[in-house]
């Protein structure tokens, strides 16, 4: 699966990976494409099915095609390495083996089980979000196969919400030597605005605002006509979104000759640790104990498609995939010793929910 590279921006490669997955599940699940995404319905032991469990993953990775040359799939010192091995091909492989174990051991599963494999999670889930939400609404629980936290493999029971804002400033261009007073610098105006925007961060409440990209101006001897900034926001609670949005929308230019245009907003709502999430974690913890694992939970500032399902109020448990480190980094790897207990935990959850 790792050797079948699948960068988000190469739809043919992502589709090839989804086909590989569907082929591997032949005879065990019926897989259908829905747009660029894949939904597999499993045939598991147990007579009457009531309700549904949805497992959620993504086929795409952040690694461009050809990464395998410098970062080959390999086994070394108790780990598996390679692009996308942790985020999140391990999780998909684990799910495949968990459902296979349930079939082979004839362990009854009371609910219908589906696996949705999105094509665009790493780039914001624009084409998959509606499908994720539709399938989640029909589910009693959502199991997200993203990596666990840290080398302990903590589950994720809270994720921050994520948004993007674009701040575009228009000024008045003029010759920096001949007509200095006639110009109104968009670059200077943006710099002043960024000072205000940085103050929107409230670390105590977990709200962060990061102007990550700025651009503007054309030459040093021209007073800049345009400048813009791209700003990433993270919020732990949905109720933080509106007040923060109001702050962005109320930015006014200090130099009246400049204008400011603010676009953007929340992209992923936060996954809040609701009662439903807490109950699901308590169950997972109990099942892990039977495997001799002391399972812990964690909160993260990173988002996943679990943000969408949790925001609908559907109990969602995230981080059930690989245990390792280095997602999106060259040392991306999973611990081989933690594969069996992870697969067993997923299987136990499917049988218990
Ligand atoms: Zn991921």
């Amino acid at each position: 699966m790792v050797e079948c590279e699948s960068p988000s921006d190469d739809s043919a490669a992502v589709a090839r990976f989804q086909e590989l997955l569907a082929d591997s599940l032949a005879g065990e699940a019926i897989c259908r494409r829905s747009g660029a995404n894949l939904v597999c319905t499993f045939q598991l032991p147990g007579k009457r099915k009531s309700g549904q469990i949805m497992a959620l993953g993504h086929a795409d990775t952040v690694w461009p095609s050809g990464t395998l040359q410098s970062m080959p799939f390999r086994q070394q010192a108790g780990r598996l390495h390679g692009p996308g091995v942790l985020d999140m091909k391990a999780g998909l492989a684990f799910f495949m083996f968990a459902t296979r174990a349930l079939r082979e051991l004839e362990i009854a599963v009371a609910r219908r089980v589906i696996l949705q494999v999105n094509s665009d999670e790493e780039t914001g889930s624009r084409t998959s979000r509606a499908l994720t939400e539709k399938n989640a609404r029909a589910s009693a629980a959502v199991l997200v196969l993203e990596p666990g936290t840290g080398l302990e493999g903590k589950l994720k029971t809270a994720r921050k919400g994520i948004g993007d804002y674009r701040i575009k400033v228009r000024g008045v261009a003029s010759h920096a030597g001949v007509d200095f007073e006639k110009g109104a610098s968009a670059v200077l105006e943006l710099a002043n605005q960024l000072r205000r925007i940085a103050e929107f961060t409230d670390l105590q409440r977990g709200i962060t605002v990061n102007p990550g990209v700025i651009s503007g101006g054309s030459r040093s001897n021209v007073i800049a006509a345009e400048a813009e900034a791209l700003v990433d926001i993270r919020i732990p609670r949905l109720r933080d979104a509106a007040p923060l949005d109001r702050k962005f929308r109320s930015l006014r230019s200090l130099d009246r000759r400049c204008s400011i245009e603010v676009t953007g907003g929340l992209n992923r709502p936060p996954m809040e640790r609701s009662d439903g999430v807490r109950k699901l974690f308590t169950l997972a913890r109990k099942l892990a104990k039977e495997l001799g694992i002391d399972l812990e939970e964690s909160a993260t500032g990173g988002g996943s498609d679990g943000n969408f399902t949790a925001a609908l109020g559907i109990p969602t448990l995230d981080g059930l995939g690989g245990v390792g480190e280095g997602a999106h980094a060259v040392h991306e790897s999973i611990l081989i010793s933690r594969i069996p207990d992870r697969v067993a935990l997923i299987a136990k959850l499917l049988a218990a929910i």
Side-chain angles (χ1 to χ4, degrees):
M1 285 165 76
V2 173
E3 288 181 339
C4 183
E5 292 179 291
S6 50
S8 307
D9 59 2
D10 185 343
S11 54
V14 171
R16 246 188 331 270
F17 173 77
Q18 287 167 325
E19 262 163 49
L20 172 70
L21 192 64
D23 286 351
S24 312
L25 288 169
E28 301 171 53
I30 294 164
C31 296
R32 287 202 180 86
R33 295 189 68 80
S34 178
N37 309 296
L38 187 74
V39 180
C40 300
T41 305
F42 285 78
Q43 290 150 344
L44 294 173
K47 293 233 160 54
R48 282 229 182 93
K49 305 287 184 199
S50 77
Q52 174 171 285
I53 301 169
M54 176 192 194
L56 190 52
H58 59 87
D60 61 323
T61 76
V62 296
W63 299 102
S65 291
T67 300
L68 279 171
Q69 290 185 350
S70 58
M71 234 176 108
F73 177 69
R74 65 199 188 280
Q75 181 175 338
Q76 201 173 19
R79 294 186 184 204
L80 296 178
H81 294 257
V85 66
L86 176 64
D87 189 7
M88 57 166 284
K89 291 179 173 177
L92 295 171
F94 293 1
F95 194 78
M96 194 163 85
F97 281 94
T99 50
R100 200 165 285 170
L102 291 166
R103 286 166 65 93
E104 288 178 5
L105 300 172
E106 288 174 30
I107 296 170
V109 173
R111 300 188 190 268
R112 200 170 104 100
V113 173
I114 64 165
L115 167 66
Q116 181 174 327
V117 185
N118 291 336
S119 60
D120 59 352
E121 194 273 345
E122 297 290 3
T123 50
S125 305
R126 275 167 196 89
T127 74
S128 57
R129 178 175 180 171
L131 182 68
T132 301
E133 292 179 335
K134 178 177 151 250
N135 283 327
R137 279 199 185 93
S139 301
V142 176
L143 304 178
V144 186
L145 306 172
E146 292 279 0
T149 300
L151 291 175
E152 309 84 27
K154 294 176 186 174
L155 297 194
K156 291 167 178 170
T157 52
R159 286 183 181 270
K160 285 186 185 179
I162 307 173
D164 276 307
Y165 284 92
R166 178 185 297 263
I167 317 295
K168 193 163 181 82
V169 178
R170 286 191 183 81
V172 180
S174 108
H175 192 298
V178 180
D179 275 327
F180 187 85
E181 289 91 343
K182 286 189 183 153
S185 169
V187 164
L188 272 182
E189 180 66 34
L190 179 62
N192 285 322
Q193 295 297 331
L194 289 178
R195 286 242 280 262
R196 289 183 172 176
I197 289 167
E199 285 169 12
F200 298 168
T201 289
D202 183 343
L203 288 178
Q204 232 150 24
R205 297 178 60 203
I207 299 169
T208 61
V209 176
N210 177 51
V213 180
I214 60 168
S215 60
S218 54
R219 293 173 182 280
S220 64
N221 62 359
V222 176
I223 294 181
E226 287 186 344
E228 70 170 31
L230 302 178
V231 184
D232 172 289
I233 62 153
R234 309 270 161 159
I235 55 167
R237 291 162 298 264
L238 191 57
R239 64 169 188 270
D240 299 324
L244 185 57
D245 190 69
R246 274 197 294 277
K247 286 183 181 174
F248 274 100
R249 305 282 166 189
S250 62
L251 289 171
R252 295 290 174 264
S253 57
L254 301 176
D255 183 334
R256 292 181 154 214
R257 295 170 299 167
C258 293
S259 66
I260 299 175
E261 187 192 337
V262 175
T263 51
L266 198 65
N267 170 10
R268 286 181 200 272
M271 173 201 273
E272 299 187 47
R273 191 178 179 278
S274 65
D275 277 355
V277 171
R278 199 171 40 75
K279 279 192 193 128
L280 207 48
F281 175 73
T282 304
L283 172 66
R285 191 171 158 74
K286 179 182 137 251
L287 298 174
K289 201 153 259 165
E290 295 168 10
L291 299 165
I293 299 287
D294 186 16
L295 197 63
E296 291 177 71
E297 62 184 312
S298 65
T300 172
S304 84
D305 287 333
N307 288 52
F308 298 130
T309 64
L312 296 174
I314 312 299
T316 298
L317 200 53
D318 203 337
L320 285 160
V323 180
E325 62 182 338
H328 303 195
V330 287
H331 61 295
E332 177 166 7
S333 56
I334 63 164
L335 300 178
I336 295 171
S337 62
R338 294 298 306 275
I339 294 176
D341 74 77
R342 227 41 176 192
V343 173
L345 177 62
I346 294 168
K348 278 172 162 284
L349 277 166
L350 291 176
I353 291 170

